[in-house]
Amino acid sequence: MSGYRLHDPAALLAGLVAPFLVALALVPFRTELSATNEALIMVVVVVAVAALGTRAAGTLAALSAAAWFDFFLTRPYRKFAIDNGEEIQTAVLLLVVGLIVSQLAVRVRRLRTVVVADTAHLTSLQACARLAEDGGSPEEVVEHVRRELVGLLGLRGCRFQYGSLIGHLPRLEHDGGLWLRRGNRITEYAEWPDGETELRVFGGGHYYGRFLLDPLPGRPLPPEEARLVAVALAAQAGAALDTAGLSHQG
């Protein structure tokens, strides 16, 4: 249901207003255009809003398009009523097709976004691996990972702490979950908690340290894919530390 969150006021406004403006612009031509052609133009508007906005905006655009098609472009004009049976069918089809096409447009846009994000994640992992293969020092690999984590997770800051486990901090786990363990009590987070979050670094089965993530509190967690990439980057840092034979704990 997250696709229906009203988090983009501009897209929602476009979904409400754009069909109204287009229907109003078609008024001088309504005697020359068939109802089918008018409906197709309104569908194009719905697709445009859905492609640029949210699923909720696309749905709103489809409803708005059907309503203003009825009001401006079918007899009796300027009334939410239709006398002609064929125009009733056209209005219903406009609504149904608009809803379906708007959802497809949003899905295509999201798939394109996922592809771009996956490419960026792969590039990040490859850059880290290349740095280690080219003989970069463990410190360089750790610093590279630290910088990548800031951008990847949208952090305010990040630092690496060698070999210390002081305090009980929320932890970004290997499965991408964010947990805080205090004795037998386990708390799972859906958004960044206050303070720092730790991402532990292991190499060869040994603990070497942790990245201390400094997020903006109260923000939603980044997508699971990004969190899993963060864990993979930390593992690459651990492998570099282990290969160099640095001291470790455990």
Side-chain angles (χ1 to χ4, degrees):
M1 293 297 291
S2 60
Y4 287 93
R5 288 180 296 184
L6 309 185
H7 65 278
D8 192 343
L12 291 171
L13 181 61
L16 182 64
V17 174
F20 167 78
L21 295 177
V22 172
L24 189 62
L26 289 174
V27 168
F29 310 100
R30 62 191 175 192
T31 58
E32 302 173 13
L33 293 172
S34 66
T36 301
N37 288 335
E38 293 168 342
L40 288 174
I41 294 173
M42 300 300 290
V43 168
V44 171
V45 178
V46 174
V47 173
V49 171
L52 298 175
T54 63
R55 181 173 298 174
T59 301
L60 182 60
L63 295 171
S64 178
W68 297 122
F69 173 80
D70 175 10
F71 189 81
F72 286 117
L73 304 176
T74 64
R75 292 184 177 86
Y77 298 129
R78 298 183 182 276
K79 291 184 179 180
F80 289 109
I82 304 176
D83 291 340
N84 187 289
E86 291 185 0
E87 290 184 344
I88 292 176
Q89 293 179 357
T90 302
V92 172
L93 287 174
L94 167 60
L95 176 59
V96 173
V97 172
L99 289 171
I100 294 173
V101 173
S102 69
Q103 305 312 303
L104 291 176
V106 171
R107 181 168 296 183
V108 169
R109 181 170 56 84
R110 288 185 174 178
L111 288 175
R112 184 169 61 248
T113 301
V114 168
V115 170
V116 171
D118 287 347
T119 301
H121 294 163
L122 180 60
T123 300
S124 178
L125 291 170
Q126 288 175 333
C128 185
R130 192 177 302 114
L131 177 62
E133 291 172 358
D134 291 344
S137 68
E139 292 77 13
E140 290 175 322
V141 175
V142 168
E143 175 60 19
H144 175 82
V145 171
R146 187 195 67 78
R147 292 195 304 266
E148 290 292 318
L149 291 176
V150 171
L152 178 66
L153 302 177
L155 303 175
R156 182 167 50 191
C158 177
R159 61 191 177 95
F160 186 74
Q161 185 180 64
Y162 285 93
S164 177
L165 283 173
I166 299 174
H168 295 278
L169 297 177
R171 184 188 310 168
L172 183 59
E173 299 284 5
H174 68 278
D175 61 355
L178 184 58
W179 307 84
L180 175 62
R181 290 176 168 84
R182 288 183 180 274
N184 295 327
R185 182 181 177 184
I186 300 177
T187 304
E188 181 179 9
Y189 294 92
E191 59 183 30
W192 289 114
D194 293 333
E196 292 180 316
T197 295
E198 68 174 10
L199 172 56
R200 295 187 176 184
V201 174
F202 294 88
H206 305 298
Y207 171 76
Y208 283 95
R210 58 185 177 177
F211 288 101
L212 294 173
L213 316 176
D214 182 20
L216 293 170
R219 293 286 184 88
L221 293 178
E224 182 181 8
E225 293 82 1
R227 285 177 272 142
L228 291 174
V229 171
V231 172
L233 286 169
Q236 288 186 329
L241 292 167
D242 188 62
T243 300
L246 298 185
S247 59
H248 54 80
Q249 292 187 359

